[in-house]
Amino acid sequence: NDHPPVGVKITHQNMIVSIYGIQERVMVTPKDTYLSYSPINKLTDILLQYVAIFNGSKIGYGSYYTLTDHSDHIMKNTKGDVTKLNPTILQFTSTDLHKLKESITQYIDKSPSYVKKLFHTVYDKKKDYLSKNESLDEYKGGNGILNVIKKWLGACLRTIIINDGTASTELQEFFYICFDINILHGWSQNETCGFSCLSSPDHYKHTSVGPPLIHNYIKIMKGEVCIGGHNITCGYYKNNEETLQKYFMMNNILWFKTRKKGKIHSNGTL
């Protein structure tokens, strides 16, 4: 294998501060239910499970291929994971979320013409309202057929988290209009023990991955994003050469060079 897996050495402190940082931003409660369907090595999924355990929330386990009633591996007349569990929190990659949107739009396109007409009438009405207002909080036009679409992700969903960057404006708008939920954008790496940034749930349109979580610091050094704090892992497993190239100490804080370009907006988001 030309590119063997690269492991990082994660400490108990890394895990604790990452859990605390996610909780501060997502505000999980005992009433929440988290549906885990990522591979077990997805660190952000493991952290969200720990957040749920910390709060006494429910956790369910499923698969992307059995996620909804219309997923590829769902047998006829059986229900998907979200219908059975009714999660309040879901985590996606931006690619998987885009695939989900495509599945929904394909389902609508295959529906009878009157269903398509009803959907686009209600959707366009909400979209027009949103173009003239900052949110749908005061929208009084009703959802109509969109209430049927909302059932694709269960009856209780309140938060979708993206763990690998920002979704397109079109994708954010689609889920906001159809499901009345905001997408939280996050940036995660194994070297930073999961999320280093996560957007706040107070508005639907994001152009960044949000501000840093409360446990870390971000600096732009020669155009490169560098992240420091107690969430930074203590190096690569059995790879001191790579560790010395990407990790460094500054002001008694351990930092990681992400090798990514970025900028910090005036509101403190990355």
Side-chain angles (χ1 to χ4, degrees):
N1 189 347
D2 294 333
H3 301 285
V6 177
V8 294
K9 296 181 284 186
I10 300 175
T11 66
H12 183 69
Q13 176 179 254
N14 294 154
M15 295 294 289
I16 293 299
V17 296
S18 293
I19 291 167
Y20 186 65
I22 293 171
Q23 171 61 17
E24 185 270 340
R25 199 61 49 85
V26 183
M27 297 299 290
V28 178
T29 74
K31 294 182 180 181
D32 279 310
T33 302
Y34 173 62
L35 174 56
S36 165
Y37 70 90
S38 298
I40 194 62
N41 64 349
K42 177 64 75 173
L43 185 54
T44 54
D45 180 57
I46 295 171
L47 287 167
L48 277 161
Q49 291 183 51
Y50 281 141
V51 172
I53 292 169
F54 174 78
N55 286 282
S57 310
K58 296 176 183 177
I59 305 174
Y61 297 90
S63 162
Y64 181 80
Y65 301 105
T66 58
L67 191 64
T68 75
D69 296 350
H70 308 277
S71 294
D72 294 340
H73 292 188
I74 289 292
M75 295 177 63
K76 188 177 181 180
N77 298 322
T78 59
K79 300 297 182 182
D81 302 328
V82 289
T83 303
K84 289 288 189 179
L85 190 66
N86 281 320
T88 59
I89 301 170
L90 285 171
Q91 181 182 193
F92 291 90
T93 64
S94 52
T95 300
D96 283 347
L97 192 61
H98 183 72
K99 288 179 181 177
L100 179 60
K101 174 183 178 288
E102 287 185 336
S103 297
I104 296 171
T105 53
Q106 286 173 7
Y107 172 82
I108 295 165
D109 289 342
K110 293 178 182 178
S111 300
S113 58
Y114 74 92
V115 174
K116 288 190 287 186
K117 185 176 180 180
L118 281 172
F119 172 81
H120 289 294
T121 298
V122 178
Y123 185 92
D124 291 345
K125 186 177 179 181
K126 289 184 76 173
K127 184 176 180 179
D128 181 65
Y129 178 90
L130 192 58
S131 68
K132 301 170 185 175
N133 299 270
E134 292 186 356
S135 74
L136 294 171
D137 293 344
E138 303 298 326
Y139 179 72
K140 305 296 183 183
N143 274 333
I145 197 170
L146 292 184
N147 288 325
V148 177
I149 303 299
K150 287 179 74 172
K151 292 180 180 179
W152 270 65
L153 296 179
C156 304
L157 189 65
R158 71 171 179 89
T159 300
I160 287 178
I161 300 171
I162 290 181
N163 59 31
D164 62 350
T166 59
S168 66
T169 301
E170 180 187 2
L171 193 61
Q172 295 177 63
E173 189 176 74
F174 179 83
F175 280 91
Y176 188 45
I177 291 173
C178 291
F179 296 93
D180 295 317
I181 55 172
N182 297 336
I183 299 174
L184 272 61
H185 295 111
W187 185 30
S188 64
Q189 295 173 284
N190 288 340
E191 293 89 345
T192 61
C193 192
F195 292 108
S196 53
C197 293
L198 193 59
S199 61
S200 61
D202 56 356
H203 60 293
Y204 89 95
K205 189 178 293 185
H206 300 280
T207 56
S208 72
V209 290
L213 296 185
I214 56 175
H215 53 64
N216 64 15
Y217 310 94
I218 291 181
K219 285 183 176 292
I220 307 298
M221 305 177 71
K222 296 181 180 179
E224 179 183 11
V225 179
C226 296
I227 302 171
H230 294 307
N231 62 312
I232 303 302
T233 56
C234 52
Y236 293 106
Y237 181 65
K238 293 184 178 180
N239 194 338
N240 288 332
E241 182 179 351
E242 190 80 2
T243 297
L244 291 172
Q245 288 179 4
K246 293 187 178 180
Y247 290 79
F248 67 98
M249 291 293 296
M250 184 172 66
N251 299 329
N252 293 319
I253 296 173
L254 182 61
W255 291 78
F256 172 68
K257 300 176 181 177
T258 66
R259 299 291 196 262
K260 302 290 185 182
K261 300 293 184 181
K263 68 176 182 178
I264 298 174
H265 297 284
S266 58
N267 61 1
T269 59
L270 179 67

